[in-house]
Amino acid sequence: TPGLENLSEHGKISPLDKEIRAAIKEGNAGTLIVIPKAINGPIHKPISTVFNIDSKHPYVSFVDMIAPSPDWFAAANARLYKYGRWVPNLVVKAYAWDSGGDLGKTFLAKDQDTMPKQPSKQNKDKHFVYRGKVVPVGVFVFTRVPDVQAGER
């Protein structure tokens, strides 16, 4: 989407946030989770946030810019509600993706827009491969927190 391309190329959340809000309004998404504090990487300390989700929208998807880069982003998704119950703990690896808007193949490549735009795809360039295997660029840890307002402990 244009929003994902803008996030991956410039680190700007808009218009991706508007695209997600439109999906929420249509009932196709549950909530938009934004960690507002800008963080310059690499990140070696945990970052945490608390968010609410419901069983109608059991998946969580996340994206973040890989910087500097032509149009790469880290992404993953996870299902947090399975078999009628919430998953108590889950570790999810995030991998590098290419948003398809730029031809650059190195972190500091000059801007070379792709025409026409290509679909997003997992980035399997040499920067993200070690000993022949694609490696994660991040790890997300989900821990269910009881809903105290609902009487959970």
Side-chain angles (χ1 to χ4, degrees):
T1 66
L4 185 57
E5 183 180 357
N6 201 42
L7 175 80
S8 65
E9 287 189 12
H10 307 289
K12 307 276 188 210
I13 191 170
S14 185
L16 182 59
D17 59 340
K18 291 176 179 70
E19 294 168 359
I20 294 169
R21 285 188 178 95
I24 292 169
K25 201 172 194 178
E26 295 167 1
N28 297 322
T31 190
L32 171 63
I33 305 160
V34 177
I35 299 175
K37 185 177 179 184
I39 299 163
N40 294 323
I43 302 168
H44 298 287
K45 295 189 282 186
I47 300 165
S48 66
T49 191
V50 176
F51 57 91
N52 294 312
I53 59 173
D54 61 48
S55 59
K56 290 192 318 190
H57 304 97
Y59 289 91
V60 61
S61 300
F62 37 91
V63 295
D64 201 359
M65 177 187 193
I66 295 176
S69 76
D71 65 340
W72 304 337
F73 61 96
N77 63 46
R79 186 174 183 152
L80 300 179
Y81 190 79
K82 294 180 183 179
Y83 312 114
R85 56 180 234 169
W86 294 104
V87 176
N89 295 292
L90 186 63
V91 176
V92 181
K93 295 175 182 174
Y95 291 90
W97 288 74
D98 185 320
S99 73
D102 194 289
L103 295 170
K105 294 290 183 192
T106 65
F107 284 96
L108 298 174
K110 294 186 189 284
D111 189 24
Q112 304 173 60
D113 285 345
T114 304
M115 288 298 171
K117 303 292 183 203
Q118 300 299 307
S120 294
K121 64 180 181 187
Q122 190 175 18
N123 193 328
K124 297 180 181 179
D125 288 342
K126 64 181 180 181
H127 312 292
F128 307 109
V129 175
Y130 181 71
R131 294 186 178 175
K133 292 191 175 197
V134 177
V135 295
V137 295
V139 176
F140 291 82
V141 179
F142 295 93
T143 303
R144 185 175 185 276
V145 177
D147 185 346
V148 177
Q149 292 178 338
E152 295 178 356
R153 294 180 185 219

